[in-house]
């Protein structure tokens, strides 16, 4: 997993527990990288899950909630760093439709070693979209946070129902998104 994801997690956690708190959490975690992340490095994705768990403990927030919060945070980072992906989309559904075939395709061109999920989308009617996430990394709540932030960005609200199934190697999450406004 890209180092940028780790450096962003540490920046967000810094706002919750401060620099010393971040160092304390890092030194208490079994991290093969030693916790010295750089934005251009690559690190095991399991370390992200470990760190989200440790920061949720340190803040006494629910682990799923912490991972969703981080998804929201990363949306802000993507928006700041890659505004062009968002500018030519009129709605959150347009944006979500473009992730698999445009956004992550470009990410893969930039970083051939990027570890990306697979998305399938289906439109049931003008207000209902099904967004299906499949990945060996199982970052369902992170994805949920990105979707919520995407709706917020386009000034929309929606009901989101999630159904998760996990096998040995893959996690699939079906997000049923119904636009309310
Ligand atoms: C709402 C829109 C988006 C959704 C739902 C989404 C979803 C995800 C998810 C769930 C992951 C984690 C990897 C996994 O679970 O397998 C991921 C990784 C990533 N995404 Fe997206 N993404 C979105 C938009 C973007 C945008 C706009 C960019 C900017 C270029 C981007 C760049 C990346 C990068 C760099 C990674 C990390 C790859 C790695 O660590 O190797 N994504 N995305």
């Amino acid at each position: 997993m890209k180092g940028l994801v780790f450096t962003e997690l540490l920046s967000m956690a810094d706002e919750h527990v401060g620099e010393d708190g971040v160092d304390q959490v890092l030194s208490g975690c079994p991290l093969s990288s030693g916790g010295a992340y750089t934005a251009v490095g690559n690190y095991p994705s399991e370390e992200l899950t470990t760190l989200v768990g440790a920061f949720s403990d340190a803040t006494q927030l629910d682990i799923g909630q912490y991972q969703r919060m981080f998804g929201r945070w990363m949306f802000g980072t993507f928006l700041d760093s890659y505004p062009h992906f968002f500018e030519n989309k009129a709605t959150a559904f347009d944006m979500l439709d473009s992730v698999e075939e445009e956004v992550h395709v470009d990410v893969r061109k930039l970083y051939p070693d990027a570890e990306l999920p697979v998305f399938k989308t289906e439109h049931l009617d003008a207000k209902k979209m099904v967004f299906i996430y499949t990945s060996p990394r199982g970052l369902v709540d992170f994805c949920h946070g990105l979707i919520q932030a995407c709706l917020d960005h386009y000034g929309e609200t929606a009901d989101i129902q999630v159904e998760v199934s996990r096998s040995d190697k893959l996690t699939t999450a079906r997000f049923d998104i119904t636009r309310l406004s």
Side-chain angles (χ1 to χ4, degrees):
M1 176 154 264
K2 293 277 133 211
L4 168 77
V5 182
F6 290 87
T7 53
E8 287 299 318
L9 177 65
L10 300 191
S11 301
M12 183 181 87
D14 194 324
E15 290 195 351
H16 303 144
V17 295
E19 210 180 314
D20 290 348
V22 169
D23 287 345
Q24 226 174 334
V25 165
L26 286 174
S27 57
C29 284
L31 303 167
S32 58
S33 66
Y37 302 107
T38 66
V40 292
N42 272 308
Y43 306 93
S45 60
E46 298 77 36
E47 292 197 5
L48 188 77
T49 315
T50 304
L51 286 169
V52 167
F55 286 123
S56 77
D57 277 352
T59 51
Q60 299 195 327
L61 290 168
D62 172 77
I63 187 162
Q65 192 188 342
Y66 206 82
Q67 202 183 98
R68 281 195 296 282
M69 213 157 77
F70 181 51
R72 283 182 176 275
W73 175 281
M74 271 318 286
F75 187 90
T77 306
F78 290 148
L79 194 59
D80 286 348
S81 308
Y82 308 96
H84 64 282
F85 284 122
F86 303 89
E87 280 159 3
N88 60 352
K89 313 291 181 311
T91 66
F93 282 5
D94 289 347
M95 183 64 211
L96 293 173
D97 269 329
S98 74
V99 178
E100 178 66 19
E101 302 211 332
E102 181 193 340
V103 179
H104 281 177
V105 171
D106 282 3
V107 170
R108 206 169 269 120
K109 280 185 202 152
L110 274 174
Y111 311 107
D113 55 356
E115 297 180 311
L116 296 162
V118 173
F119 288 113
K120 288 204 177 93
T121 55
E122 208 183 308
H123 291 269
L124 303 182
D125 62 42
K127 288 193 178 292
K128 286 190 181 170
M129 176 179 189
V130 183
F131 190 64
I132 301 173
Y133 161 92
T134 307
S135 168
R137 285 162 290 283
L139 298 170
V140 175
D141 285 301
F142 175 71
C143 188
H144 195 158
L146 280 161
I147 295 170
Q148 285 175 326
C150 184
L151 287 157
D152 287 352
H153 172 71
Y154 289 96
E156 299 169 17
T157 56
D159 173 70
I160 306 176
Q161 297 295 326
V162 196
E163 209 179 284
V164 182
S165 61
R166 294 181 201 271
S167 71
D168 274 4
K169 297 211 168 80
L170 282 183
T171 298
T172 300
R174 176 189 162 113
F175 293 91
D176 274 274
I177 311 170
T178 307
R179 283 262 325 257
L180 303 173
S181 64

